[in-house]
Amino acid sequence: MEDREAARAERQANLATLQQMTQMAMNHNNGNGNGNGEGENNGNGDHRSKLRNFQNTNPPMFTKSEEPLDADDWLRTMENNLAVAEVGENEKVLYTTHYLAGAARAWWDSTRAMQAPGYVMPWEEFKSKFRKDHVPLGLVKRMRDEFRNLKQGSLSVVDYHDKFLTLSRYAPDDTDTTG
């Protein structure tokens, strides 16, 4: 039964992706593209090539979080895969949402239904909405506080380093060395 539900969710995701790609192509062909041209299909198969490259990164499917930070880990993995495949800004949300199923797919369908027809959500907006819905804010705050209070104590240097790196992602303002 679970396999049948997963296959159904994947078919729905495929259909939604195809519909959104068709809408994007129609907008582009009508001169209504709202992006910077990065990664758009320019008639030479570039769009399909980037999709293939992205699929070759073996992106994981996301349905719901078993652990509170699974959603954040999934989003970070997807962001890395998008960068590796050199996916343009206009396709990031499209490609990523193709790998949502179950409850996460229902969330995305309802989020998308609230958008204006033809609206292509920017990647940063998607990440913000996804985290707001799937990553408990209190947990992120707790992880940031844990990072701020991290001490080596009895941890080995390697273990301390690993914990530092793991927690530092929840305190980007505390680790930014550019300013």
Side-chain angles (χ1 to χ4, degrees), residues 41-62:
N41 186 359
N42 56 12
N44 66 4
D46 187 50
H47 184 71
R48 284 188 301 271
S49 173
K50 287 186 190 275
L51 176 59
R52 195 173 314 112
N53 290 345
F54 179 67
Q55 290 171 326
N56 286 339
T57 67
N58 296 316
M61 188 66 73
F62 181 79

Side-chain angles (χ1 to χ4, degrees), residues 9 12-13 16-17 97-110 112:
Q12 285 177 328
T17 300
T97 56
H98 179 72
Y99 289 90
L100 295 174
R105 169 55 60 184
W107 165 81
W108 173 242
D109 289 344
S110 106
R112 192 177 56 197

Side-chain angles (χ1 to χ4, degrees), residues 22 53 58 69 108-109 115 117 127 129 146 159 169 171:
T22 301
N53 290 345
N58 296 316
L69 295 175
W108 173 242
D109 289 344
Q115 305 299 320
K127 288 191 317 183
K129 287 179 182 284
E146 190 175 334
D159 289 342
R169 71 186 198 185

Side-chain angles (χ1 to χ4, degrees), residues 4-177:
R4 196 173 335 148
E5 176 124 354
R8 185 175 132 304
E10 186 172 354
R11 282 192 306 276
Q12 285 177 328
N14 288 339
L15 179 60
T17 300
L18 288 171
Q19 288 171 338
Q20 195 168 4
M21 287 172 68
T22 301
Q23 183 66 43
M24 285 174 61
M26 287 171 49
N27 286 346
H28 180 69
N29 289 340
N30 292 331
N32 296 331
N34 63 350
N36 58 10
E38 252 182 53
E40 293 183 53
N41 186 359
N42 56 12
N44 66 4
D46 187 50
H47 184 71
R48 284 188 301 271
S49 173
K50 287 186 190 275
L51 176 59
R52 195 173 314 112
N53 290 345
F54 179 67
Q55 290 171 326
N56 286 339
T57 67
N58 296 316
M61 188 66 73
F62 181 79
T63 55
K64 64 181 179 177
S65 294
E66 298 298 326
E67 294 292 323
L69 295 175
D70 285 351
D72 193 56
D73 289 340
W74 177 82
L75 190 57
R76 288 172 185 274
T77 297
M78 296 305 270
E79 194 158 31
N80 182 65
N81 291 4
L82 291 164
V84 166
E86 298 178 338
V87 174
E89 287 301 314
N90 288 344
E91 287 86 17
K92 286 182 177 182
V93 174
L94 176 64
Y95 290 9
T96 298
T97 56
H98 179 72
Y99 289 90
L100 295 174
R105 169 55 60 184
W107 165 81
W108 173 242
D109 289 344
S110 106
T111 299
R112 192 177 56 197
M114 291 186 274
Q115 305 299 320
Y119 176 72
V120 177
M121 183 181 292
W123 178 243
E124 292 302 318
E125 181 182 344
F126 172 80
K127 288 191 317 183
S128 175
K129 287 179 182 284
F130 182 85
R131 282 191 172 116
K132 183 177 179 184
D133 195 78
H134 294 91
V135 181
L137 185 59
L139 181 61
V140 172
K141 182 184 178 324
R142 191 177 91 219
M143 300 300 268
R144 183 179 56 241
D145 291 346
E146 190 175 334
F147 172 77
R148 289 176 176 166
N149 295 317
L150 182 63
K151 304 216 180 332
Q152 183 176 353
S154 62
L155 293 173
S156 70
V157 171
V158 171
D159 289 342
Y160 176 74
H161 178 260
D162 290 346
K163 190 157 188 114
F164 179 91
L165 291 177
T166 299
L167 294 173
S168 68
R169 71 186 198 185
Y170 302 104
D173 295 338
D174 296 344
T175 58
D176 182 11
T177 59

